Amino acid sequence: MPSLYDLDRAGLAEALAGQPAFRVEQLWRGLWVEGRTVDEVTTLPAALRQRLGEEYPPALAARADVVTDRGATRKWVFALPDGATIETVLMTYPDRVTVCVSSQAGCAMGCSFCATGQAGFTRHLTPGEVVEQVITAARHAAPRRLSHVVFMGMGEPLANYATTVTALRRLHEDRGLSARHLTVSSVGIAPAIERLAAEGLPVTLAVSLHAANDADRDALVPINRRYPLERLHRACEVWFERTGRRISLEWALIDGVNDTDQALEELAEFARSLAAHVNLIPLNPTPGYLAQGSTRDRVRAFRDGLIARGVNATVRDTRGRSIDAACGQLAAVTNGRTRRVPVAAPGRR
Ligand code: SAH
Ligand code: SF4
């Protein structure tokens, strides 16, 4: 069993077979509403808690736990029961508390600039393993209420479609998070975007564009060869038509690669035609990709250039840079692929 959060009410009832029916509700409330560990659901008798804890141990064991931005950003590397590692980042802002979750251990998409892509694919996560990241982060965010979830950790959520949709539904329906506060970030798997648009889930979609001509995008994001820009654009239109929700386009600004005047024109046209919002992120350097993020001045000029062309653009803050909180980097270092050693914390089990 990967995670207790893979069980729905009927599954919990089965796990509690022989117990009075109200115990199911107590366990449900403890796990989903209050976000407790089984051991902390003190409405249940101690012996029962112990048995459940043994049968369903937590799916996530902390291998590293680092805090930065004066306590406002916290990043974990979690080992799953089979030893695969993922990362989860909790970010606290004045007006919201956001967790960034992984949907896969590793990623098969192979984007050249991404540490997760460089490390390759290990396996899909289960819905419960995604939800457990959210609940664990929520517990650590208390007394603040965790309000937002972004699927921007390791993995391509739309390449693990069933897990992503089930996790979204359960976070919305069972955890009570607002659907529009759930953001799926995708590298651009066009048919899956269209399918997600038909699920009746008004979530937020971010598409990692990074280049708006096929030659450049082929080099940065290999899946572009399968779903080139014209196909991706069509999927984005379907999304907008079916959900009425504007798309965000993610653009990691890479010095001399996609921060040129020509790139600006191409992006402006792509974004304007979709009424999309653009999120600019200066590239976080990774060991396997020898390029730098754009300079601060260039980032600002690029943003201003988009705005002058009628595109709504913002620069995403680079939370957690000092702890490699972006994009698979901390998991990569704990797997021994680079020399930097993170602060290790004792595991929870
Ligand atoms: N697979 C999904 C979600 C995970 S990646 C996707 O690609 O959208 C989350 C975001 O981080 C994506 O926009 C991705 O392009 C970006 N990213 C990856 N590596 C990066 C790096 N080194 N610097 C800045 N952003 C990066
Ligand atoms: Fe995978 Fe996203 Fe990284 Fe590309 S950017 S390799 S899709 S995690």
Side-chain angles (χ1 to χ4, degrees):
M1 170 50 58
S3 167
L4 197 48
Y5 287 95
D6 279 305
L7 301 181
D8 56 12
R9 267 200 173 79
L12 290 184
E14 241 174 77
L16 291 174
Q19 295 288 329
F22 65 85
R23 296 274 181 235
V24 178
E25 202 47 41
Q26 288 175 328
L27 180 56
W28 175 271
R29 268 198 72 77
L31 293 177
W32 286 89
V33 182
E34 289 152 11
R36 296 171 191 266
T37 62
V38 174
D39 196 47
E40 293 165 350
V41 186
T42 48
T43 44
L44 300 178
L48 180 57
R49 275 183 274 147
Q50 191 181 340
R51 172 172 76 76
L52 285 170
E54 281 162 13
E55 280 173 33
Y56 301 94
L60 310 176
R63 280 287 168 76
D65 179 347
V66 266
V67 173
T68 188
D69 300 326
R70 297 202 189 92
T73 304
R74 181 164 182 174
K75 171 157 177 164
W76 294 273
V77 173
F78 289 121
L80 301 171
D82 61 355
T85 51
I86 57 164
E87 59 184 41
T88 307
V89 184
L90 174 64
M91 291 161 286
T92 310
Y93 301 91
D95 63 329
R96 61 172 68 178
V97 178
T98 301
V99 63
C100 173
V101 296
S102 297
S103 56
Q104 300 176 312
C107 183
M109 297 295 130
C111 302
S112 49
F113 54 88
C114 170
T116 307
Q118 290 157 18
F121 177 72
T122 305
R123 73 161 167 92
H124 290 305
L125 300 197
T126 68
E129 287 170 337
V130 176
V131 171
E132 201 172 313
Q133 295 172 65
V134 176
I135 303 283
T136 303
R139 202 178 297 140
H140 289 281
R144 295 286 307 275
R145 196 180 61 84
L146 189 141
S147 54
H148 290 67
V149 179
V150 296
F151 285 65
M152 290 190 185
M154 291 180 121
E156 166 50 38
L158 296 187
N160 188 9
Y161 188 85
T163 280
T164 295
V165 169
T166 302
L168 290 171
R169 279 197 199 293
R170 298 207 72 187
L171 290 170
H172 176 48
E173 291 164 18
D174 297 336
R175 177 70 184 174
L177 287 166
S178 156
R180 54 194 56 213
H181 292 177
L182 306 174
T183 298
V184 174
S185 176
S186 172
V187 70
I189 303 185
I193 289 173
E194 291 167 358
R195 198 173 155 201
L196 187 64
E199 297 281 354
L201 272 166
V203 298
T204 301
L205 177 68
V207 171
S208 298
L209 196 65
H210 307 309
N213 71 71
D214 281 317
D216 286 351
R217 197 162 190 271
D218 282 352
L220 290 171
V221 180
I223 196 70
N224 192 66
R225 290 178 211 142
R226 185 123 145 241
Y227 306 114
L229 285 162
E230 201 190 321
R231 176 72 188 88
L232 178 58
H233 191 276
R234 200 161 9 108
C236 292
E237 283 176 334
V238 168
W239 176 270
F240 190 40
E241 279 160 22
R242 285 202 193 147
T243 67
R245 313 254 315 133
R246 287 184 187 202
I247 283 181
S248 291
L249 298 173
E250 308 284 307
W251 193 278
L253 277 165
I254 310 170
D255 187 31
V257 174
N258 65 356
D259 66 353
T260 60
D261 290 343
Q262 192 195 326
L264 173 62
E265 297 299 341
E266 291 166 351
L267 169 57
E269 195 184 321
F270 195 95
R272 234 182 359 235
S273 66
L274 293 167
H277 177 99
V278 172
N279 246 319
L280 301 169
I281 323 133
L283 179 83
N284 216 5
T286 55
Y289 184 70
L290 297 177
Q292 297 298 314
S294 306
T295 62
R296 248 216 250 143
D297 283 351
R298 187 57 195 154
V299 171
R300 205 174 308 126
F302 202 85
R303 180 202 58 196
D304 293 345
L306 289 171
I307 293 171
R309 284 161 183 75
V311 177
N312 187 341
T314 46
V315 177
R316 177 137 41 89
D317 79 326
T318 46
R319 271 298 175 95
R321 273 216 155 184
S322 62
I323 53 166
D324 288 340
C327 324
Q329 297 188 46
L330 187 52
V333 286
T334 53
N335 288 340
R337 288 190 174 87
T338 71
R339 268 172 293 141
R340 226 192 108 191
V341 181
V343 181
R348 289 199 291 118
R349 267 186 286 173

